[in-house]
Coordinates of all heavy atoms in Angstrom, one line a residue:
Q394 N 351.6 108.6 39.5 CA 350.2 108.5 39.9 C 349.3 108.3 38.7 O 348.3 107.5 38.8 CB 349.8 109.8 40.7 CG 350.6 110.1 41.9 CD 350.1 111.4 42.5 OE1 349.0 111.6 42.9 NE2 351.0 112.4 42.6
M395 N 349.5 109.0 37.6 CA 348.7 108.8 36.5 C 348.8 107.4 35.9 O 347.8 106.8 35.6 CB 349.1 109.8 35.4 CG 348.8 111.3 35.7 SD 347.0 111.7 35.8 CE 346.7 112.1 34.1
T396 N 350.0 106.9 35.9 CA 350.2 105.6 35.4 C 349.5 104.5 36.3 O 348.9 103.6 35.8 CB 351.7 105.3 35.2 OG1 352.2 106.2 34.2 CG2 352.0 103.9 34.7
E397 N 349.7 104.7 37.6 CA 349.0 103.8 38.5 C 347.5 103.8 38.3 O 346.9 102.7 38.3 CB 349.2 104.3 40.0 CG 350.4 103.9 40.7 CD 350.4 104.5 42.1 OE1 349.5 105.3 42.5 OE2 351.4 104.2 42.8
Y398 N 346.9 105.0 38.1 CA 345.5 105.1 37.9 C 345.0 104.3 36.7 O 344.1 103.5 36.7 CB 345.1 106.5 37.8 CG 343.6 106.8 37.8 CD1 342.9 107.1 38.9 CD2 342.8 106.7 36.6 CE1 341.5 107.3 38.9 CE2 341.5 106.9 36.6 CZ 340.8 107.2 37.7 OH 339.5 107.4 37.7
A399 N 345.8 104.6 35.6 CA 345.4 103.9 34.3 C 345.6 102.4 34.4 O 344.7 101.6 34.0 CB 346.3 104.4 33.2
L400 N 346.6 102.0 35.1 CA 346.9 100.6 35.3 C 345.8 99.9 36.1 O 345.4 98.8 35.8 CB 348.2 100.5 36.1 CG 349.1 99.2 35.9 CD1 349.4 99.0 34.4 CD2 350.4 99.4 36.6
Y401 N 345.4 100.6 37.1 CA 344.3 100.1 38.0 C 343.0 99.8 37.1 O 342.4 98.8 37.2 CB 343.9 101.1 39.1 CG 342.8 100.6 40.0 CD1 343.1 99.8 41.1 CD2 341.5 100.8 39.6 CE1 342.0 99.3 41.9 CE2 340.4 100.3 40.4 CZ 340.7 99.6 41.5 OH 339.7 99.1 42.2
G402 N 342.7 100.8 36.3 CA 341.5 100.6 35.4 C 341.7 99.5 34.4 O 340.8 98.7 34.2
V403 N 342.9 99.4 33.8 CA 343.1 98.3 32.9 C 343.0 97.0 33.6 O 342.3 96.1 33.1 CB 344.5 98.4 32.2 CG1 344.9 97.2 31.5 CG2 344.6 99.6 31.3
L404 N 343.6 96.8 34.7 CA 343.6 95.5 35.4 C 342.2 95.2 35.9 O 341.7 94.0 35.8 CB 344.5 95.5 36.6 CG 346.0 95.6 36.2 CD1 346.9 95.8 37.5 CD2 346.4 94.3 35.5
H405 N 341.5 96.2 36.4 CA 340.1 96.0 36.8 C 339.2 95.4 35.7 O 338.5 94.4 35.9 CB 339.5 97.3 37.3 CG 338.1 97.1 37.8 ND1 337.8 96.9 39.1 CD2 336.9 97.2 37.2 CE1 336.5 96.8 39.3 NE2 335.9 97.0 38.1
W406 N 339.3 96.0 34.5 CA 338.4 95.5 33.5 C 339.0 94.3 32.8 O 338.2 93.3 32.6 CB 338.2 96.7 32.4 CG 337.2 96.3 31.4 CD1 335.8 96.3 31.6 CD2 337.4 95.8 30.1 NE1 335.2 95.8 30.5 CE2 336.1 95.5 29.6 CE3 338.5 95.6 29.3 CZ2 335.9 95.1 28.3 CZ3 338.3 95.1 28.0 CH2 337.0 94.8 27.5
H407 N 340.3 94.3 32.5 CA 340.9 93.2 31.8 C 340.7 91.9 32.6 O 340.5 90.8 32.1 CB 342.4 93.5 31.6 CG 343.2 92.3 31.2 ND1 343.1 91.7 29.9 CD2 344.2 91.6 31.8 CE1 343.9 90.7 29.8 NE2 344.6 90.7 30.9
R408 N 340.9 92.0 34.0 CA 340.7 90.8 34.8 C 339.3 90.6 35.3 O 339.0 89.8 36.2 CB 341.7 90.8 36.0 CG 343.2 90.8 35.6 CD 343.6 89.6 34.8 NE 343.2 88.3 35.4 CZ 344.1 87.5 36.0 NH1 345.4 87.9 36.1 NH2 343.7 86.4 36.6
Q409 N 338.4 91.3 34.8 CA 336.9 91.1 35.0 C 336.5 91.2 36.5 O 335.7 90.5 37.0 CB 336.5 89.8 34.4 CG 336.9 89.7 32.9 CD 336.6 88.3 32.3 OE1 335.5 88.1 31.9 NE2 337.6 87.5 32.2
M410 N 337.2 92.1 37.2 CA 337.0 92.2 38.6 C 335.5 92.7 39.0 O 335.0 92.3 40.0 CB 338.0 93.1 39.3 CG 339.4 92.5 39.3 SD 339.4 91.0 40.1 CE 341.1 90.4 39.8
G411 N 335.0 93.5 38.1 CA 333.6 94.0 38.3 C 332.6 92.8 38.3 O 331.8 92.6 39.2
Q412 N 332.8 91.9 37.3 CA 332.0 90.7 37.2 C 332.2 89.8 38.4 O 331.2 89.2 39.0 CB 332.2 90.0 35.9 CG 331.4 88.7 35.7 CD 329.9 89.0 35.8 OE1 329.4 90.1 35.5 NE2 329.1 88.0 36.2
Y413 N 333.5 89.6 38.8 CA 333.7 88.7 40.0 C 333.1 89.3 41.3 O 332.7 88.6 42.1 CB 335.3 88.5 40.1 CG 335.8 87.5 39.2 CD1 336.8 87.8 38.3 CD2 335.3 86.2 39.1 CE1 337.3 86.9 37.3 CE2 335.7 85.3 38.2 CZ 336.7 85.6 37.3 OH 337.2 84.7 36.4
A414 N 333.1 90.7 41.4 CA 332.5 91.3 42.6 C 331.0 91.0 42.6 O 330.4 90.7 43.6 CB 332.8 92.8 42.6
R415 N 330.4 91.1 41.4 CA 329.0 90.8 41.3 C 328.7 89.3 41.7 O 327.8 89.0 42.4 CB 328.4 91.1 39.9 CG 328.2 92.6 39.7 CD 327.5 92.9 38.4 NE 328.3 92.6 37.2 CZ 329.2 93.5 36.7 NH1 329.4 94.7 37.3 NH2 329.9 93.2 35.7
Q416 N 329.6 88.4 41.2 CA 329.4 87.0 41.5 C 329.6 86.7 43.0 O 328.8 86.0 43.6 CB 330.4 86.2 40.7 CG 330.1 86.2 39.2 CD 331.1 85.3 38.4 OE1 331.0 85.4 37.2 NE2 331.9 84.5 39.0
Q417 N 330.5 87.4 43.6 CA 330.8 87.2 45.0 C 329.5 87.6 45.8 O 329.1 86.9 46.7 CB 332.0 88.0 45.5 CG 332.2 87.8 47.0 CD 333.4 88.6 47.6 OE1 334.1 89.3 46.8 NE2 333.5 88.6 48.9
A418 N 328.9 88.8 45.4 CA 327.7 89.3 46.1 C 326.6 88.3 46.0 O 325.8 88.2 46.9 CB 327.3 90.6 45.5
A419 N 326.6 87.5 44.9 CA 325.5 86.5 44.7 C 325.9 85.1 45.1 O 325.2 84.1 44.9 CB 325.2 86.5 43.2
G420 N 327.1 85.0 45.7 CA 327.6 83.7 46.2 C 327.8 82.8 45.1 O 327.6 81.5 45.2
E421 N 328.3 83.3 43.9 CA 328.4 82.4 42.7 C 329.9 82.1 42.4 O 330.7 83.0 42.2 CB 327.8 83.2 41.6 CG 327.7 82.4 40.3 CD 327.2 83.2 39.1 OE1 326.8 84.4 39.3 OE2 327.1 82.7 38.0
W422 N 330.2 80.8 42.4 CA 331.6 80.4 42.1 C 331.6 80.0 40.6 O 331.1 79.0 40.2 CB 331.9 79.1 42.9 CG 333.3 78.6 42.7 CD1 333.7 77.7 41.7 CD2 334.5 78.9 43.5 NE1 335.0 77.5 41.8 CE2 335.6 78.2 42.9 CE3 334.7 79.7 44.6 CZ2 336.8 78.3 43.4 CZ3 336.0 79.8 45.1 CH2 337.1 79.1 44.5
R423 N 332.1 80.9 39.8 CA 332.1 80.7 38.3 C 333.4 81.3 37.7 O 333.7 82.5 37.9 CB 330.9 81.3 37.7 CG 330.7 81.1 36.2 CD 329.3 81.3 35.7 NE 328.8 82.7 35.9 CZ 328.9 83.6 34.9 NH1 329.4 83.4 33.7 NH2 328.4 84.9 35.2
M424 N 334.1 80.5 36.9 CA 335.3 81.0 36.3 C 335.0 81.6 34.9 O 334.2 81.0 34.2 CB 336.3 79.8 36.0 CG 336.9 79.3 37.3 SD 337.5 77.6 37.0 CE 339.2 78.0 36.8
L425 N 335.5 82.8 34.7 CA 335.2 83.5 33.4 C 336.5 83.2 32.5 O 337.6 83.0 33.0 CB 335.1 85.0 33.6 CG 333.9 85.4 34.6 CD1 334.0 86.9 34.9 CD2 332.6 85.0 34.0
E426 N 336.2 83.3 31.2 CA 337.3 83.0 30.3 C 338.4 84.1 30.4 O 338.0 85.3 30.4 CB 336.7 83.0 28.9 CG 337.6 82.3 27.9 CD 337.0 82.3 26.5 OE1 335.8 82.1 26.4 OE2 337.7 82.5 25.5
A427 N 339.6 83.7 30.5 CA 340.7 84.7 30.6 C 341.2 85.1 29.2 O 341.2 84.4 28.3 CB 341.8 84.1 31.4
V428 N 341.7 86.4 29.2 CA 342.4 86.9 27.9 C 343.8 87.2 28.3 O 344.1 87.9 29.2 CB 341.7 88.2 27.4 CG1 342.4 88.7 26.2 CG2 340.2 87.9 27.1
H429 N 344.7 86.6 27.5 CA 346.2 86.9 27.7 C 346.5 88.4 27.4 O 345.9 88.9 26.4 CB 347.0 86.0 26.8 CG 348.5 86.0 27.2 ND1 349.4 86.9 26.7 CD2 349.1 85.3 28.2 CE1 350.6 86.7 27.2 NE2 350.4 85.7 28.1
P430 N 347.3 89.0 28.2 CA 347.6 90.5 27.9 C 348.0 90.7 26.4 O 347.6 91.8 25.9 CB 348.8 90.8 28.8 CG 348.8 89.7 29.8 CD 348.0 88.5 29.3
S431 N 348.7 89.8 25.8 CA 349.1 90.0 24.4 C 348.0 90.1 23.5 O 348.1 90.6 22.3 CB 350.1 89.0 24.0 OG 349.5 87.7 24.1
H432 N 346.8 89.6 23.9 CA 345.6 89.7 23.1 C 344.7 90.8 23.5 O 343.6 91.0 23.0 CB 344.8 88.4 23.1 CG 345.6 87.3 22.4 ND1 345.7 86.0 22.9 CD2 346.4 87.3 21.3 CE1 346.5 85.3 22.2 NE2 346.9 86.0 21.2
R433 N 345.1 91.6 24.4 CA 344.3 92.8 24.9 C 344.8 94.0 24.2 O 346.0 94.4 24.4 CB 344.4 92.9 26.4 CG 343.5 93.9 27.0 CD 342.0 93.6 26.7 NE 341.4 92.7 27.7 CZ 340.3 92.0 27.5 NH1 339.6 92.2 26.3 NH2 339.8 91.2 28.4
R434 N 344.0 94.7 23.4 CA 344.4 95.8 22.6 C 344.0 97.1 23.3 O 342.9 97.4 23.6 CB 343.9 95.8 21.2 CG 344.1 94.4 20.6 CD 343.7 94.3 19.2 NE 344.8 94.5 18.3 CZ 344.8 94.8 17.0 NH1 343.7 95.0 16.4 NH2 345.9 94.9 16.4
I435 N 345.1 97.9 23.7 CA 344.8 99.1 24.4 C 345.3 100.3 23.6 O 346.3 100.3 23.0 CB 345.6 99.1 25.8 CG1 345.2 97.8 26.6 CG2 345.4 100.3 26.6 CD1 346.0 97.6 27.9
G436 N 344.5 101.4 23.7 CA 344.9 102.6 23.0 C 345.0 103.8 23.9 O 344.1 104.0 24.8
V437 N 346.1 104.5 23.8 CA 346.3 105.7 24.7 C 346.2 106.9 23.9 O 347.0 107.1 23.0 CB 347.7 105.6 25.4 CG1 347.9 106.7 26.3 CG2 347.9 104.2 26.1
M438 N 345.3 107.8 24.2 CA 345.1 109.0 23.5 C 345.9 110.1 24.2 O 345.6 110.5 25.4 CB 343.6 109.5 23.6 CG 342.7 108.5 22.9 SD 341.0 109.2 22.9 CE 341.0 110.2 21.5
G439 N 346.9 110.6 23.5 CA 347.8 111.6 24.1 C 349.1 110.8 24.5 O 349.1 109.9 25.3
L440 N 350.2 111.2 23.8 CA 351.5 110.5 24.1 C 352.5 111.5 24.6 O 353.6 111.6 24.1 CB 352.0 109.8 22.8 CG 351.3 108.5 22.5 CD1 351.9 107.9 21.2 CD2 351.4 107.5 23.6
G441 N 352.1 112.3 25.6 CA 353.0 113.3 26.2 C 353.6 112.7 27.4 O 353.8 111.5 27.5
V442 N 353.9 113.5 28.4 CA 354.5 113.0 29.6 C 353.8 111.8 30.2 O 354.4 110.8 30.6 CB 354.6 114.2 30.7 CG1 355.2 113.7 32.0 CG2 355.4 115.3 30.1
F443 N 352.5 111.9 30.3 CA 351.7 110.9 31.0 C 351.4 109.7 30.1 O 351.6 108.6 30.4 CB 350.4 111.4 31.6 CG 350.6 112.5 32.6 CD1 349.8 113.7 32.6 CD2 351.7 112.5 33.5 CE1 350.0 114.7 33.5 CE2 351.9 113.5 34.4 CZ 351.1 114.6 34.4
G444 N 350.9 110.1 28.9 CA 350.5 109.0 27.9 C 351.7 108.1 27.6 O 351.5 106.9 27.5
M445 N 352.9 108.7 27.4 CA 354.0 107.9 27.1 C 354.4 106.9 28.2 O 354.7 105.7 27.9 CB 355.3 108.8 26.8 CG 355.5 109.2 25.4 SD 357.2 109.5 25.2 CE 357.1 110.5 23.7
D446 N 354.3 107.4 29.4 CA 354.6 106.5 30.5 C 353.6 105.4 30.7 O 353.9 104.2 30.9 CB 354.7 107.3 31.8 CG 355.4 106.6 32.9 OD1 356.6 106.2 32.7 OD2 354.8 106.4 34.0
I447 N 352.3 105.7 30.5 CA 351.2 104.7 30.5 C 351.4 103.7 29.4 O 351.4 102.5 29.7 CB 349.9 105.4 30.4 CG1 349.6 106.3 31.7 CG2 348.7 104.4 30.2 CD1 348.4 107.2 31.6
A448 N 351.7 104.2 28.2 CA 351.8 103.2 27.1 C 353.0 102.3 27.3 O 352.9 101.1 27.1 CB 352.0 104.0 25.8
R449 N 354.1 102.9 27.7 CA 355.4 102.1 27.9 C 355.2 101.0 29.0 O 355.6 99.9 28.8 CB 356.5 103.0 28.3 CG 357.2 103.7 27.2 CD 358.5 104.2 27.6 NE 359.2 104.9 26.6 CZ 359.4 106.2 26.6 NH1 359.2 106.9 27.7 NH2 360.0 106.8 25.5
T450 N 354.5 101.5 30.1 CA 354.3 100.5 31.2 C 353.4 99.4 30.8 O 353.7 98.2 31.1 CB 353.7 101.3 32.4 OG1 354.5 102.4 32.7 CG2 353.5 100.4 33.6
L451 N 352.3 99.7 30.1 CA 351.4 98.6 29.6 C 352.1 97.7 28.6 O 351.9 96.5 28.6 CB 350.1 99.2 29.1 CG 349.2 99.9 30.1 CD1 348.2 100.7 29.4 CD2 348.6 98.9 31.0
A452 N 352.9 98.3 27.7 CA 353.6 97.5 26.7 C 354.6 96.6 27.4 O 354.7 95.4 27.1 CB 354.3 98.4 25.7
A453 N 355.3 97.1 28.4 CA 356.2 96.3 29.2 C 355.5 95.1 29.9 O 356.1 94.1 30.2 CB 357.0 97.1 30.2
M454 N 354.2 95.3 30.2 CA 353.5 94.2 30.9 C 352.9 93.2 29.9 O 352.2 92.3 30.2 CB 352.3 94.8 31.7 CG 352.8 95.6 32.9 SD 351.5 96.4 33.7 CE 350.6 95.1 34.4
G455 N 353.2 93.5 28.6 CA 352.8 92.5 27.6 C 351.5 92.8 26.8 O 351.1 92.0 26.0

Side-chain angles (χ1 to χ4, degrees):
Q394 299 177 60
M395 292 291 271
T396 298
E397 271 178 0
Y398 186 97
L400 208 56
Y401 179 92
V403 166
L404 291 173
H405 179 94
W406 189 76
H407 169 67
R408 295 305 304 258
Q409 306 173 83
M410 290 303 174
Q412 180 58 25
Y413 283 122
R415 284 188 288 277
Q416 289 183 192
Q417 180 181 354
E421 185 185 358
W422 182 275
R423 182 161 63 95
M424 293 161 98
L425 303 171
E426 201 179 319
V428 175
H429 191 269
S431 59
H432 294 139
R433 186 62 82 197
R434 312 188 95 193
I435 303 178
V437 182
M438 297 182 89
L440 284 178
V442 176
F443 301 139
M445 268 206 198
D446 197 56
I447 291 169
R449 279 200 181 113
T450 303
L451 291 168
M454 290 172 72

